[in-house]
Amino acid sequence: MNAPLAPAAPNVRVLTFGCRLNTLESEVMRRAAEEAGLRETILVNSCAVTGEAMRQARQAIRKARRESPHARIVVTGCGAQTSPESFAAMAEVDRVLGNAEKLDAAVYVRLAHEDAPRVLAGDIMSVRENAGHLVDAVAGRTRAFVEVQTGCDHRCTFCIIPFGRGPSRSVPAGRVVEAVRALVSNGAKEVVLTGVDLTSYGADLPGRPTLGRLVKRILDGVPELARLRLSSLDAVEIDDTLLALLGEEPRLMPHLHLSLQAGDDLILKRMKRRHTRAQAIALCDSVRALRPEIALGADLIAGFPTETEDMFAGTLSLVEECGLAFVHAFPFSPREGTPAARMPQLDRALVKERAARLREAGEAARAHAFAARVGSRASILVEEPGVGHTDYFMPVRIDAGAPGEIVAARIVDTDGAGLVGVAA
């Protein structure tokens, strides 16, 4: 997906692809570039998770050059970190920055003074600290992201991201609490904790605090925070403290997005995932028992190497057995340098066909989940006039409240794209 993070400054525009962490980091980049005095600059914050994400980034770069022939185009992000030479080879690109360099304010000063090489991308695997790069506000948003972790120490066979982000690094809890407090004082009603492997939070810190302990510390330390939300979680790493908070703390939003990837045990093993199908279903049952109103989402991959029709059926049926409301369905995309790229591949037409069936199942599940909410009550964070999200993260149209207000509502209908609510 490609969109400016926020209303662009006259001299700096940011195109962001991929995850929520990239969205936050784009704001850090924009501010650093503006403070350095960069002029007529387009920053492209790329994603490497799929071949399609890389294609979209290149397409956006070419379009940006056509529309802004005199602008400086700087490409960074996971795509630039894992494949700097491919972007440097593009005639439209002026500079390529690695993932560590893109967050270094001094790099933008060098760019402003034309004192940087064409490619500036160091060894991300040698980075051992996470400065946090916490911002005190995100322009135009009532929902703000806080980076608490980056990098990943796992090696799922299909995933290139550890080589784009480096080892897992966590931000100390005290700094996170300070950042959340600052965001709330600047008007944020909802804060989203984000990271590359969020549930690994704290493993590299003294005392090895868990994500659950961090969440509790935030909720205790910032009582004025109205809503706290979590980004994608690894099902096998969710700790007992976090599960307990889901059942006890109303300010922790009833919405989880899980990294499940497949519903067949052999495929999960070949992916080098650390959970089984039964464990995924049991987790979903457990959190629903703790928080009956919770909405669950998941990432699922279709067409992984060696996947048979029966194996795919296991993934397809996971949508119903886990009671998913949101499905991010991906066709398997071989990433050069990963073990899965060297496994026996399925025909691309078959991969796309299975991904289409998985998306269709996801769309049906979403429609069912929307319909099931009609007649219920919800808490709506209004983000734009007439538009917001429920506490369980379903989009809703509501003819009440101003941006930034939290409105108690009754869900009266669904329009296919989301819910329709009225002030209760």
Side-chain angles (χ1 to χ4, degrees), residues 1 8 34 40-41 68 117 165 168 229 241 274 317 336 338 376 398:
M1 185 174 68
E34 289 177 358
E40 289 192 273
T41 299
S68 305
R165 287 286 180 175
S168 181
R229 194 179 298 279
T241 300
R274 292 166 299 140
S317 64
E336 185 178 352
T338 63
S376 68
I398 182 166

Short mmCIF file of all heavy atoms in Angstrom, two decimals, residues 1 8 34 40-41 68 117 165 168 229 241 274 317 336 338 376 398:
data_model
loop_
_atom_site.label_atom_id
_atom_site.label_comp_id
_atom_site.label_asym_id
_atom_site.label_seq_id
_atom_site.Cartn_x
_atom_site.Cartn_y
_atom_site.Cartn_z
N MET A 1 0.85 -1.18 0.00
CA MET A 1 0.00 0.00 0.00
C MET A 1 0.88 1.23 0.00
O MET A 1 1.92 1.26 0.62
CB MET A 1 -0.91 0.00 1.23
CG MET A 1 -1.91 1.14 1.24
SD MET A 1 -3.07 0.99 2.63
CE MET A 1 -1.98 1.27 4.01
N ALA A 8 1.63 16.53 3.42
CA ALA A 8 3.06 16.69 3.19
C ALA A 8 3.49 18.14 3.29
O ALA A 8 2.76 19.06 2.93
CB ALA A 8 3.42 16.15 1.80
N GLU A 34 12.97 17.51 7.28
CA GLU A 34 12.58 18.92 7.35
C GLU A 34 13.55 19.72 8.20
O GLU A 34 13.95 20.84 7.84
CB GLU A 34 11.16 19.03 7.90
CG GLU A 34 10.09 18.55 6.93
CD GLU A 34 8.70 18.61 7.55
OE1 GLU A 34 8.58 18.98 8.73
OE2 GLU A 34 7.74 18.28 6.84
N GLU A 40 12.56 19.85 -1.90
CA GLU A 40 12.11 19.05 -3.04
C GLU A 40 12.59 17.61 -2.95
O GLU A 40 13.29 17.10 -3.83
CB GLU A 40 12.59 19.69 -4.36
CG GLU A 40 11.89 20.97 -4.72
CD GLU A 40 12.20 21.37 -6.15
OE1 GLU A 40 13.21 22.06 -6.35
OE2 GLU A 40 11.43 20.99 -7.06
N THR A 41 12.22 16.96 -1.87
CA THR A 41 12.68 15.60 -1.60
C THR A 41 11.50 14.66 -1.42
O THR A 41 10.55 14.99 -0.69
CB THR A 41 13.57 15.57 -0.35
OG1 THR A 41 14.72 16.39 -0.57
CG2 THR A 41 14.02 14.15 -0.04
N SER A 68 7.43 14.62 -10.58
CA SER A 68 8.33 15.60 -9.95
C SER A 68 9.74 15.41 -10.52
O SER A 68 10.63 14.88 -9.85
CB SER A 68 8.34 15.41 -8.42
OG SER A 68 7.04 15.48 -7.88
N PRO A 117 27.07 9.29 0.15
CA PRO A 117 27.23 8.44 -1.04
C PRO A 117 25.88 8.06 -1.62
O PRO A 117 24.84 8.20 -0.96
CB PRO A 117 27.98 7.23 -0.50
CG PRO A 117 27.64 7.19 0.96
CD PRO A 117 27.50 8.62 1.38
N ARG A 165 15.59 -5.88 9.07
CA ARG A 165 15.43 -5.19 10.34
C ARG A 165 16.51 -5.53 11.36
O ARG A 165 16.66 -4.82 12.35
CB ARG A 165 14.06 -5.54 10.94
CG ARG A 165 12.90 -4.88 10.21
CD ARG A 165 12.83 -3.42 10.55
NE ARG A 165 11.72 -2.74 9.88
CZ ARG A 165 11.40 -1.48 10.11
NH1 ARG A 165 12.09 -0.77 10.98
NH2 ARG A 165 10.40 -0.91 9.46
N SER A 168 16.41 -8.66 17.20
CA SER A 168 15.36 -8.07 18.02
C SER A 168 15.95 -7.11 19.05
O SER A 168 16.88 -7.46 19.77
CB SER A 168 14.58 -9.17 18.74
OG SER A 168 13.54 -8.62 19.51
N ARG A 229 -3.92 -0.28 22.15
CA ARG A 229 -4.12 -1.35 21.17
C ARG A 229 -2.77 -1.96 20.83
O ARG A 229 -1.73 -1.31 20.89
CB ARG A 229 -4.79 -0.79 19.91
CG ARG A 229 -5.35 -1.85 18.98
CD ARG A 229 -6.02 -1.23 17.76
NE ARG A 229 -7.16 -0.40 18.08
CZ ARG A 229 -8.38 -0.85 18.34
NH1 ARG A 229 -8.61 -2.16 18.33
NH2 ARG A 229 -9.37 -0.03 18.61
N THR A 241 0.52 -12.71 31.58
CA THR A 241 0.13 -11.39 32.06
C THR A 241 -0.71 -10.67 31.02
O THR A 241 -1.72 -10.03 31.34
CB THR A 241 1.38 -10.55 32.40
OG1 THR A 241 2.12 -11.22 33.42
CG2 THR A 241 0.99 -9.16 32.89
N ARG A 274 6.43 -21.86 15.23
CA ARG A 274 6.64 -22.52 16.52
C ARG A 274 5.33 -22.91 17.19
O ARG A 274 5.30 -23.23 18.37
CB ARG A 274 7.47 -21.61 17.43
CG ARG A 274 8.91 -21.46 16.91
CD ARG A 274 9.64 -20.32 17.58
NE ARG A 274 8.99 -19.06 17.33
CZ ARG A 274 8.85 -18.09 18.23
NH1 ARG A 274 9.31 -18.25 19.45
NH2 ARG A 274 8.25 -16.97 17.91
N SER A 317 -9.92 -23.69 6.37
CA SER A 317 -10.87 -23.94 7.45
C SER A 317 -10.50 -23.24 8.75
O SER A 317 -11.33 -23.09 9.64
CB SER A 317 -11.01 -25.45 7.69
OG SER A 317 -9.79 -26.00 8.15
N GLU A 336 14.35 -14.12 -2.41
CA GLU A 336 15.71 -14.60 -2.64
C GLU A 336 16.51 -14.56 -1.34
O GLU A 336 16.49 -13.57 -0.60
CB GLU A 336 16.39 -13.72 -3.69
CG GLU A 336 17.78 -14.21 -4.07
CD GLU A 336 18.40 -13.34 -5.15
OE1 GLU A 336 17.71 -12.47 -5.70
OE2 GLU A 336 19.61 -13.55 -5.42
N THR A 338 16.03 -16.80 1.16
CA THR A 338 15.32 -17.52 2.21
C THR A 338 15.23 -19.00 1.86
O THR A 338 15.19 -19.38 0.68
CB THR A 338 13.89 -16.97 2.39
OG1 THR A 338 13.14 -17.16 1.18
CG2 THR A 338 13.91 -15.48 2.73
N SER A 376 -25.63 -4.57 18.80
CA SER A 376 -24.74 -4.49 19.96
C SER A 376 -24.34 -3.04 20.23
O SER A 376 -24.63 -2.13 19.45
CB SER A 376 -23.49 -5.35 19.73
OG SER A 376 -22.70 -4.78 18.70
N ILE A 398 -20.80 6.95 11.70
CA ILE A 398 -21.62 7.41 12.81
C ILE A 398 -21.85 8.91 12.67
O ILE A 398 -20.90 9.67 12.47
CB ILE A 398 -20.99 7.07 14.17
CG1 ILE A 398 -21.89 7.52 15.31
CG2 ILE A 398 -19.58 7.63 14.30
CD1 ILE A 398 -21.52 6.94 16.65
#
